C-alpha cells in the first residue's frame, strides 16, 4: 500500500513539475520582448556620459552658490515666491542642491485603473519582482510613489524622504503629516533610474471629494507638476468622462502644455474601427480643457508586459511605443541643457526682483523728509507703485520684458513682512574683494551659464546670450570701493 502511495506522490510531483514548465513556456510566448526599450533609451551607452554630466552639475552648483544665491538671500527672493499667485517651480524653496542635482522627473497622472502603475512596471521590467507596483481593476494606488535610483532595492517612508537633505522632497513637509504618510519612495539599482525618476500618483476618482483624502490633493499635484520634466496623462477606452477633479487637474496643467503627453492605454482591447471612435471621443472630451493651438502628442498603445491581443494593430502599437520611448529619451538627453536654462531663467527673475526692491528703496528715500511719517510714505508707495513709476522705470532702464515682472500685489504682502529698512540699495551691495552682487548675477546670466551650455554642446554656440540687450542687463550700480 505504501508503495502505491509513493508512486502516486511521485506522479503528482511529476505532473506539477511538467505543469510549471508548461506555464513558463506559455508565459515566455505571452510576455512581450523588452529589448527595444534598452535600445531606444540607449541604456548601455551611459558610462562615459555620466562623468561629464556630474562635472557639469558641480560647475552649475558653483555658479548658483557664488552668483545667484547671495542675491536671493540679500533681497529675500524666496519670500516673494511664497506670495506670488502663479507659484511655479523655483530654486531655494527648501533644498536648492537637491533641485540642482535631481534627475528629470516623469509624472504619471490620470483616472484610476487606467494602467499608470502597469506602465511603470513595464518600463522598468518589474513584473513578478518584490517591488512591482500593485495593479488591479479597482483603484489600487492611494499613495504618491516616487521610484528612484539607489544602491540597493528598498522602500522609504515619506517622512524620511522629506527629512533627507540630499533629496529634493523636503518642501513636501508643508502639506502636513497626513500627506507624508501617503508618500512612499522606492529605490532600486536600475540603469533607467540612473537617468530619470518616475512618480506614480493616486488615480482621479470623480465621486470622491478631495477633502476625504485627508490632505490637499490638488496642491500636492501642483507641486509635482511644477517640477516634472515630462507629464504622462493616461486614459483607457472605458474612462473618457471628464469630471470636476479631472477638469481641475487640467487647469493646473495650464502653461505646461509642452511637457504634457496624452496616453490612450489598453488600446488592444478594441477593434481598429472602435479605436478610431474612442480616439475621436477622447479629443472631444479634452478639447475644452486644453485651449492651445497645437494639442499635446497622443500615444495609442498598450503599455504592459504582456503581448498585444490578437487581430489588433500590433505594428501601429509598437511604433507608438517606440515614439514614446524616443520622446522620453529626448527629455533625458536634454536634462543638463534644461537644468541650465531653468537656472538661468531663475537668475533673471532674482535679478528683476532685486532691481524692483532697489527701486522701492530709492523711491522711499527720495520721498522721505524730516517731517514725514515713514510708515505712511511707504504705504503710499506700496499701495500704488504706478504713481511712482516703480515698474515702468525698471522696464525703461533695464530692457526687462513686462511679461517677466512679478505682480504688484505680491509686493504688498512681501513688504508687509519685510520692512523696507531691512534692505540695502544695490549700490551698497558691493565689496572691494567680492565685487557687486549685481555684477555677479549678470555675469552668470550673460556669460557663465551660456558658457557652461556651450561646454556640454561644443557644436552649438549660445545665440545672443552674451549681450545685455538679450538679457536686459541695463544700468549697473558703480562699485564705490573702486576708482572707476
Amino acid at each position: 500500500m505504501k508503495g502505491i502511495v509513493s508512486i502516486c506522490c511521485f506522479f503528482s510531483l511529476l505532473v506539477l513539475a511538467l505543469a510549471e514548465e508548461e506555464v513558463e513556456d506559455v508565459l515566455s510566448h505571452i510576455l512581450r520582448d523588452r529589448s527595444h526599450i534598452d535600445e531606444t533609451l540607449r541604456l548601455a551607452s551611459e558610462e562615459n556620459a555620466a562623468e561629464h554630466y556630474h562635472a557639469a552639475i558641480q560647475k552649475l552648483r558653483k555658479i548658483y552658490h557664488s552668483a545667484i544665491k547671495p542675491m536671493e538671500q540679500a533681497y529675500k527672493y524666496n519670500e516673494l515666491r511664497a506670495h506670488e499667485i502663479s507659484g511655479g517651480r523655483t530654486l531655494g524653496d527648501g533644498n536648492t542642491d537637491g533641485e540642482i542635482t535631481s534627475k528629470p522627473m516623469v509624472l504619471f497622472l490620470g483616472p484610476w485603473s487606467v494602467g499608470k502603475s502597469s506602465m511603470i512596471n513595464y518600463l522598468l521590467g518589474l513584473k513578478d519582482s518584490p517591488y512591482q507596483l500593485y495593479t488591479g481593476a479597482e483603484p489600487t494606488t492611494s499613495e504618491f510613489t516616487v521610484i528612484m535610483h539607489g544602491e540597493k532595492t528598498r522602500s522609504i517612508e515619506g517622512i524620511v524622504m522629506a527629512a533627507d537633505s540630499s533629496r529634493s522632497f523636503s518642501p513636501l513637509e508643508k502639506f502636513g503629516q497626513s500627506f507624508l504618510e501617503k508618500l512612499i519612495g522606492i529605490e532600486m539599482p536600475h540603469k533607467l533610474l540612473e537617468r530619470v525618476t518616475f512618480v506614480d500618483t493616486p488615480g482621479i476618482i470623480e465621486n470622491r471629494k478631495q477633502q476625504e483624502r485627508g490632505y490637499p490633493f490638488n496642491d500636492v499635484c501642483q507641486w509635482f507638476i511644477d517640477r516634472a520634466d515630462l507629464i504622462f496623462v493616461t486614459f483607457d477606452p472605458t474612462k473618457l468622462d471628464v469630471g470636476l477633479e479631472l477638469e481641475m487637474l487640467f487647469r493646473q496643467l495650464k502653461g505646461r502644455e509642452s511637457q504634457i503627453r496624452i496616453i490612450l492605454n489598453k488600446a488592444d482591447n478594441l477593434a481598429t474601427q472602435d479605436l478610431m471612435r474612442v480616439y475621436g471621443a477622447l479629443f472631444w472630451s479634452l478639447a475644452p480643457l486644453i485651449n492651445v493651438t497645437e494639442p499635446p502628442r497622443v500615444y495609442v498603445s498598450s503599455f504592459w508586459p504582456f503581448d498585444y491581443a490578437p487581430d489588433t494593430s500590433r505594428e501601429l502599437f509598437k511604433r507608438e511605443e517606440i515614439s514614446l520611448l524616443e520622446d522620453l529619451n529626448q527629455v533625458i538627453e536634454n536634462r543638463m541643457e534644461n537644468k541650465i536654462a531653468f537656472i538661468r531663467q531663475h537668475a533673471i527673475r532674482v535679478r528683476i526682483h532685486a532691481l524692483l526692491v532697489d527701486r522701492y528703496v530709492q523711491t522711499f528715500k527720495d520721498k522721505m523728509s524730516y517731517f514725514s511719517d515713514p510708515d505712511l510714505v511707504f504705504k503710499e508707495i506700496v499701495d500704488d507703485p504706478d504713481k511712482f513709476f516703480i515698474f515702468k522705470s525698471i522696464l525703461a532702464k533695464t530692457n526687462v520684458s513686462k511679461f517677466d515682472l512679478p505682480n504688484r500685489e505680491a509686493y504688498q504682502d512681501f513688504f508687509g513682512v519685510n520692512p523696507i529698512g531691512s534692505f540695502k540699495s544695490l549700490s551698497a551691495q558691493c565689496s572691494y574683494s567680492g565685487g557687486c552682487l549685481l555684477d555677479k548675477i549678470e555675469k552668470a546670466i550673460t556669460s557663465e551659464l551660456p558658457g557652461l551650455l556651450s561646454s556640454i554642446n561644443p557644436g552649438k554656440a549660445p545665440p545672443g546670450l552674451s549681450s545685455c540687450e538679450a538679457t536686459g542687463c541695463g544700468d549697473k550700480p558703480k562699485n564705490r570701493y573702486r576708482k572707476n
Side-chain angles (χ1 to χ4, degrees):
M1 188 67 181
K2 290 182 179 179
I4 295 173
V5 172
S6 300
I7 292 171
C8 289
C9 290
F10 171 76
F11 276 109
S12 298
L13 292 173
L14 182 61
V15 168
L16 286 173
L18 290 172
E20 287 179 3
E21 289 182 6
E22 288 178 5
V23 169
E24 290 180 2
D25 186 57
V26 170
L27 282 177
S28 67
H29 287 87
I30 293 176
L31 292 178
R32 198 183 306 174
D33 178 29
R34 297 183 64 263
S35 60
H36 63 285
I37 296 179
D38 292 354
E39 293 172 6
T40 308
L41 296 177
R42 302 180 179 90
L43 298 184
S45 58
E46 276 295 294
E47 288 78 6
N48 295 330
E51 293 184 13
H52 296 294
Y53 176 76
H54 291 303
I57 283 290
Q58 294 308 313
K59 292 178 182 177
L60 192 57
R61 288 179 61 192
K62 183 178 179 181
I63 292 172
Y64 172 77
H65 283 285
S66 63
I68 303 172
K69 190 173 183 179
M71 186 74 90
E72 275 183 20
Q73 295 174 332
Y75 291 96
K76 300 182 180 179
Y77 174 74
N78 296 321
E79 293 191 26
L80 172 75
R81 296 296 292 182
H83 295 299
E84 280 198 276
I85 297 171
S86 59
R89 181 181 180 183
T90 180
L91 289 176
D93 62 352
N95 187 355
T96 301
D97 284 338
E99 286 278 357
I100 293 175
T101 58
S102 63
K103 299 176 179 66
M105 181 185 292
V106 178
L107 180 65
F108 291 80
L109 299 168
W112 58 275
S113 194
V114 294
K116 301 186 297 293
S117 302
S118 296
M119 186 173 177
I120 295 174
N121 286 337
Y122 172 56
L123 291 173
L124 296 176
L126 297 182
K127 178 175 168 48
D128 296 330
S129 73
Y131 285 88
Q132 70 171 338
L133 303 182
Y134 180 63
T135 61
E138 75 284 1
T140 53
T141 303
S142 60
E143 300 92 5
F144 283 79
T145 307
V146 181
I147 304 98
M148 50 198 163
H149 182 264
E151 295 301 321
K152 60 181 181 179
T153 303
R154 61 171 183 152
S155 61
I156 308 171
E157 296 295 327
I159 297 173
V160 177
M161 290 174 61
D164 190 346
S165 60
S166 65
R167 306 182 193 277
S168 59
F169 302 105
S170 53
L172 289 171
E173 284 187 307
K174 65 184 178 183
F175 298 119
Q177 295 300 307
S178 296
F179 164 69
L180 293 180
E181 291 175 2
K182 294 292 184 180
L183 176 66
I184 296 176
I186 297 177
E187 282 188 346
M188 60 182 68
H190 195 287
K191 293 292 290 183
L192 180 54
L193 294 177
E194 290 177 6
R195 310 171 68 194
V196 71
T197 295
F198 291 129
V199 179
D200 191 16
T201 61
I204 293 170
I205 303 176
E206 296 296 351
N207 60 357
R208 174 189 295 170
K209 296 178 182 178
Q210 68 159 308
Q211 288 86 352
E212 294 178 9
R213 295 182 188 269
Y215 60 89
F217 176 73
N218 289 335
D219 293 341
V220 174
C221 284
Q222 190 67 63
W223 190 90
F224 281 103
I225 288 169
D226 289 337
R227 284 152 183 79
D229 297 86
L230 195 60
I231 302 169
F232 289 139
V233 185
T234 311
F235 296 89
D236 82 1
T238 64
K239 297 183 178 68
L240 302 182
D241 295 336
V242 176
L244 291 176
E245 198 162 85
L246 188 61
E247 188 175 339
M248 174 61 73
L249 176 65
F250 273 93
R251 209 173 294 149
Q252 292 178 279
L253 292 169
K254 192 75 174 174
R256 304 301 304 273
E257 286 81 8
S258 61
Q259 279 88 30
I260 298 173
R261 305 294 183 270
I262 306 294
I263 296 177
L264 183 55
N265 202 11
K266 306 182 183 180
D268 62 344
N269 288 344
L270 299 174
T272 304
Q273 190 173 7
D274 293 333
L275 182 60
M276 292 173 63
R277 290 174 181 153
V278 167
Y279 187 87
L282 176 63
F283 265 101
W284 179 264
S285 299
L286 298 183
L289 307 180
I290 308 176
N291 189 19
V292 291
T293 306
E294 185 177 349
R297 175 75 162 85
V298 179
Y299 294 102
V300 181
S301 188
S302 287
F303 298 94
W304 71 329
F306 299 101
D307 200 4
Y308 303 114
D311 301 323
T312 55
S313 305
R314 301 171 62 90
E315 291 302 318
L316 170 65
F317 298 154
K318 183 69 174 291
R319 288 196 301 270
E320 287 284 281
E321 182 178 320
I322 291 175
S323 295
L324 180 140
L325 293 172
E326 289 172 346
D327 203 349
L328 173 59
N329 186 65
Q330 191 68 30
V331 169
I332 297 171
E333 294 286 337
N334 294 337
R335 63 192 185 279
M336 195 66 233
E337 293 93 325
N338 293 338
K339 210 172 280 290
I340 294 171
F342 165 67
I343 291 178
R344 184 174 178 275
Q345 182 186 46
H346 173 75
I348 291 172
R349 288 174 176 164
V350 172
R351 177 183 162 276
I352 290 172
H353 168 66
L355 290 169
L356 281 168
V357 173
D358 178 68
R359 188 62 60 186
Y360 274 101
V361 171
Q362 294 297 335
T363 304
F364 175 70
K365 289 180 178 178
D366 292 343
K367 296 299 176 184
M368 278 296 296
S369 66
Y370 185 78
F371 298 101
S372 300
D373 184 330
D375 293 335
L376 291 177
V377 170
F378 192 63
K379 185 177 186 303
E380 184 183 7
I381 296 171
V382 171
D383 288 346
D384 191 6
D386 291 338
K387 178 181 176 181
F388 301 93
F389 306 103
I390 300 289
F391 286 78
K392 287 184 179 179
S393 62
I394 297 297
L395 292 174
K397 292 188 176 182
T398 60
N399 296 319
V400 172
S401 169
K402 66 179 181 179
F403 301 107
D404 290 333
L405 290 176
N407 63 71
R408 290 155 174 74
E409 291 75 15
Y411 280 94
Q412 293 178 358
D413 296 331
F414 176 77
F415 284 116
V417 295
N418 296 291
I420 188 66
S422 63
F423 297 104
K424 297 180 182 178
S425 63
L426 280 170
S427 59
Q429 298 282 4
C430 299
S431 66
Y432 182 78
S433 59
C436 296
L437 294 186
L438 190 60
D439 289 340
K440 288 181 178 180
I441 200 168
E442 287 180 349
K443 183 180 178 183
I445 293 169
T446 58
S447 61
E448 292 179 342
L449 291 171
L452 181 58
L453 189 60
S454 296
S455 69
I456 61 175
N457 284 321
K460 297 181 182 178
L465 297 185
S466 59
S467 68
C468 285
E469 283 186 19
T471 56
C473 296
D475 298 336
K476 298 180 182 179
K478 294 181 180 179
N479 187 341
R480 60 183 178 178
Y481 294 102
R482 292 181 180 170
K483 292 181 180 179
N484 54 356

